[in-house]
């Protein structure tokens, strides 16, 4: 019995890579805008950075680190698909890398809270 294409785990990896890329593309201009405050108006930056004390912002930072890790490992997965013959042990390593990215993001969240 053949699995429908959208039920395949690699389709989910494809979607996660695309969504994380779009989220990072939206985040980067905002990040650069905040960094520009350090050059133009340091007092305003200090006020803005006080927002990072809120739990919802810390959860958003967790999402950012997780999205960055997902996007990085998704890109590495694509490179591996292009350059390597994909064997079952390599699939296991890729799954381990995804689990490791989730662990790292969770550790950042736990440290932030």
């Amino acid at each position: 019995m053949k699995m429908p294409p959208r039920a395949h785990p690699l389709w989910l990896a494809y979607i996660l890579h695309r969504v994380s890329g779009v989220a990072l593309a939206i985040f980067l201009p905002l990040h650069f805008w905040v960094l520009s405050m350090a050059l133009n108006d340091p007092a305003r930056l200090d006020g803005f950075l006080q927002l990072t004390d809120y739990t919802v912002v810390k959860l958003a930072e967790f999402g950012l680190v997780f999205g960055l890790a997902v996007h990085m490992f998704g890109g590495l997965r694509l490179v591996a698909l292009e350059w390597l013959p994909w064997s079952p042990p390599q699939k296991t390593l890729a799954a381990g890398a995804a689990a490791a990215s989730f662990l790292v993001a969770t550790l950042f969240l736990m440290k932030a809270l």
Side-chain angles (χ1 to χ4, degrees), residues 16 20 24 59-74 97-106 108-109:
L16 283 174
S20 64
L24 291 170
L59 290 172
E61 289 172 348
F62 166 77
L64 175 66
V65 171
F66 181 73
L68 195 59
V70 165
H71 195 72
M72 182 186 76
F73 284 114
S101 69
F102 182 75
L103 175 66
V104 168
T106 303
F108 274 104
L109 174 65

Side-chain angles (χ1 to χ4, degrees), residues 3-85:
M3 190 183 311
R6 292 187 179 196
H8 197 280
L10 292 179
W11 187 81
L12 177 61
Y14 162 81
I15 291 299
L16 283 174
H17 186 73
R18 295 298 184 258
V19 169
S20 64
V22 168
L24 291 170
I26 291 169
F27 166 76
L28 279 176
L30 297 172
H31 179 67
F32 292 139
W33 174 67
V34 171
L35 287 178
S36 74
M37 287 183 204
L39 298 173
N40 300 325
D41 193 359
R44 188 172 172 208
L45 175 67
D46 289 339
F48 186 83
L49 290 178
Q50 288 178 353
L51 293 173
T52 61
D53 291 334
Y54 293 108
T55 303
V56 70
V57 175
K58 291 180 182 181
L59 290 172
E61 289 172 348
F62 166 77
L64 175 66
V65 171
F66 181 73
L68 195 59
V70 165
H71 195 72
M72 182 186 76
F73 284 114
L76 291 173
R77 182 190 66 85
L78 289 174
V79 168
L81 284 173
E82 293 288 328
W83 293 349
L84 300 171

